[in-house]
Amino acid sequence: MRYTEFTPFDIVLLAQGLGVSVGLFLATTVIGLLIGTLWAVVRFYRVPVLTQVITFVAELLKNSPVLVQLFLVFFGFPAFFHINLGPVEAAVITLSGNTAAFVYVIAVSAIESIGRDQIEAARAFGLTKWQVLRHIIAPQAMAFAIGPLTGLLVNQLQVTSLISVIGVMDLTKIGNILNLRTLKPFIVWAVVGVLYYLAAKLIAYAGATLERRLRAHTAWKGL
Amino acid sequence: MRIDLSLLVPYLPFMLEGALLTAQVCVLALLGSLIVGALMAVARTSANTLLRRAASIYADLFRNVPFIVQLFFFYYGLPEIGIYIDAFTTGVVALSIAGGAFTSDVIRSGILAIEPGIIEAAQVSGLSKTKVFSKIVLPVALRTSVRPMGSVFINLILTSSILSTITLNELTGTAKIVASDTFKPFEVYVVLLIAYATLTYLVSLLIAALHRRLNRDLGEAVR
């Protein structure tokens, strides 16, 4: 008996794949946001050596293919550091690092977008550097960064498709399996593509909604 | 835990071959995406609603679906409808189409940034529609969009590493072979990471120089 036809169970498989993709995307986004913001704060405090190291690492991560980073972590780390890494762990490490590098750049430019005069005024009022960051810079920088961040996240969702290469059962891997079994690449990849497309649109929509709310205080309300 | 790079020296010519293939793919894909992007940008700024709608859908679709899914769609799908092309051609075509979506965006904003007065002056001088477009609109739009085009091109270089998944032995593909030959994945992929980062850095320097050269008569405004 050959199972070359599509079965109703394929829908469950696709849903599982989408779940893995979205789950990993959300997890790495949260970790990446935390690390990237932390790096930006380190830069804000002008910590001597650390700032240069972070800038260098971020540039390296931004300017090299994610696939190579993935291979480095998945194949390279276990061989070099003698540790055990599953595909999912490797994927989380790589994608978080990659997201962090891009978040760092966005966060730095968001912090620098706030005028010097505001910071000087706040310092003159006796606020500490942390208070300035927390109460003056953060709220404005957040509104500034949300646009580029949405673009980044839409991109990062697509980057998650690469982890199928190291064997994580994400949406692309499921597509691969279905394609090999049914030998109907047009339908399979079209469906997979549509699912990614819809997920990307959802992220873009959520980003736009959040941006409207964060910018509500600067919106023109009329006289 | 020591990095010994001398082990990789015998493999350098082999990896250089891969780098050459990457360069070939990237240059061809750059030309392809320029042509596709320019055509689509024209469609997206045309007066014809249907044409504009279709081109927007194209750009939206190919920017929001992961490249690896598009690649598999072409690589596995085309033979199904009787088109048999090798991995190299498939890769160049897929990169051109995906890159074209981003390029069309860049050129479109370049076209929209042209002052209407310039076009009106050309029309008043009695130039035909095609003349106005090919002699005035396109050169100006291409010239001002060199810098954003550069980041699209750098992205293209990074994306080309994904072609290793369809058996094309470009830089990443050869590195994979070397890594499994030497059992030194960490060293191989670290070198590869730095190689890609250096390559894209050099390209970005080149683009900045080109941008300055092409826009030298515009003075300080574009620097």
Side-chain angles (χ1 to χ4, degrees):
Chain A
M1 191 170 169
R2 296 177 61 214
Y3 296 95
T4 55
E5 294 299 310
F6 286 109
T7 64
F9 184 66
D10 293 345
I11 297 172
V12 180
L13 267 182
L14 281 171
Q16 269 177 8
L18 188 63
V20 171
S21 283
V22 171
L24 273 172
F25 165 74
L26 290 178
T28 56
T29 298
V30 171
I31 302 172
L33 277 173
L34 286 177
I35 299 177
T37 316
L38 191 74
W39 286 355
V41 172
V42 168
R43 191 191 153 104
F44 177 72
Y45 277 101
R46 302 223 179 93
V47 181
V49 183
L50 211 53
T51 306
Q52 280 78 14
V53 172
I54 286 171
T55 312
F56 180 73
V57 170
E59 278 301 312
L60 209 58
L61 287 178
K62 259 173 36 151
N63 287 315
S64 60
V66 182
L67 197 63
V68 176
Q69 296 165 21
L70 207 57
F71 286 160
L72 177 66
V73 173
F74 186 58
F75 299 116
F77 279 18
F80 194 68
F81 299 114
H82 302 292
I83 47 169
N84 266 326
L85 266 184
V88 175
E89 287 106 319
V92 169
I93 293 173
T94 313
L95 293 178
S96 305
N98 193 260
T99 307
F102 285 98
V103 168
Y104 168 70
V105 174
I106 293 173
V108 165
S109 63
I111 290 175
E112 278 168 2
S113 75
I114 282 110
R116 229 12 294 130
D117 44 348
Q118 283 194 43
I119 298 170
E120 274 159 15
R123 292 288 280 170
F125 272 112
L127 269 64
T128 64
K129 216 166 178 191
W130 170 251
Q131 282 172 323
V132 172
L133 188 66
R134 170 71 188 79
H135 297 290
I136 313 287
I137 295 177
Q140 300 181 64
M142 207 99 87
F144 177 89
I146 196 82
L149 268 183
T150 310
L152 169 70
L153 292 188
V154 168
N155 211 2
Q156 290 307 104
L157 175 76
Q158 293 169 36
V159 168
T160 60
S161 65
L162 294 181
I163 60 179
S164 64
V165 176
I166 59 166
V168 180
M169 285 289 169
D170 74 330
L171 188 52
T172 307
K173 187 77 185 172
I174 298 293
N176 232 327
I177 293 169
L178 288 182
N179 176 34
L180 288 177
R181 204 193 71 214
T182 60
L183 297 177
K184 289 192 177 65
F186 269 122
I187 302 171
V188 169
W189 292 118
V191 168
V192 170
V194 164
L195 287 176
Y196 272 116
Y197 179 84
L198 291 179
K201 283 286 138 183
L202 200 66
I203 295 169
Y205 175 75
T209 309
L210 195 62
E211 181 168 16
R212 247 201 322 282
R213 287 190 51 183
L214 282 175
R215 283 190 189 279
H217 67 284
T218 55
W220 174 247
K221 295 185 188 74
L223 287 167
Chain B
M1 292 265 283
R2 275 192 59 245
I3 292 191
D4 182 18
L5 293 180
S6 60
L7 222 110
L8 302 180
V9 172
Y11 293 95
L12 274 184
F14 180 59
M15 284 182 82
L16 270 181
E17 257 173 57
L20 211 62
L21 196 64
T22 293
Q24 273 173 14
V25 168
C26 287
V27 169
L28 285 176
L30 175 70
L31 289 178
S33 55
L34 258 179
I35 294 167
V36 174
L39 286 176
M40 284 299 151
V42 172
R44 286 177 76 183
T45 50
S46 85
N48 187 332
T49 319
L50 200 71
L51 209 60
R52 215 165 51 218
R53 191 74 59 75
S56 305
I57 290 174
Y58 154 79
D60 192 43
L61 207 62
F62 282 92
R63 271 182 323 177
N64 283 309
V65 172
F67 179 69
I68 197 167
V69 173
Q70 296 173 28
L71 191 64
F72 286 160
F73 183 81
F74 290 122
Y75 187 63
Y76 297 116
L78 287 182
E80 198 186 52
I81 55 167
I83 301 174
Y84 295 96
I85 49 175
D86 58 338
F88 182 83
T89 321
T90 313
V92 170
V93 168
L95 267 179
S96 302
I97 293 176
F102 289 94
T103 311
S104 80
D105 247 16
V106 170
I107 299 180
R108 173 175 166 268
S109 49
I111 291 176
L112 292 181
I114 295 173
E115 269 180 68
I118 296 175
I119 298 170
E120 276 162 19
Q123 281 167 339
V124 168
S125 311
L127 293 175
S128 67
K129 238 176 164 177
T130 47
K131 265 268 161 54
V132 172
F133 187 78
S134 63
K135 298 284 177 193
I136 293 165
V137 174
L138 205 57
V140 175
L142 284 180
R143 187 171 71 171
T144 49
S145 52
V146 166
R147 207 197 287 269
M149 277 295 289
S151 48
V152 170
F153 183 47
I154 285 173
N155 243 327
L156 212 64
I157 295 174
L158 299 183
T159 311
S160 74
S161 69
I162 298 176
L163 299 185
S164 64
T165 57
I166 57 164
T167 69
L168 191 69
N169 282 333
E170 38 69 83
L171 190 50
T172 309
T174 52
K176 254 159 84 176
I177 296 171
V178 174
S180 51
D181 253 26
T182 55
F183 293 111
K184 292 277 179 212
F186 187 80
E187 285 82 347
V188 172
Y189 291 126
V190 163
V191 168
L192 190 61
L193 205 80
I194 293 170
Y196 268 113
T198 317
L199 189 70
T200 49
Y201 179 67
L202 290 180
V203 169
S204 73
L205 285 186
L206 219 74
I207 288 157
L210 186 69
H211 174 83
R212 268 198 300 279
R213 167 120 192 94
L214 287 178
N215 295 302
R216 60 191 180 283
D217 50 344
L218 294 183
E220 291 299 313
V222 290
R223 284 244 173 110

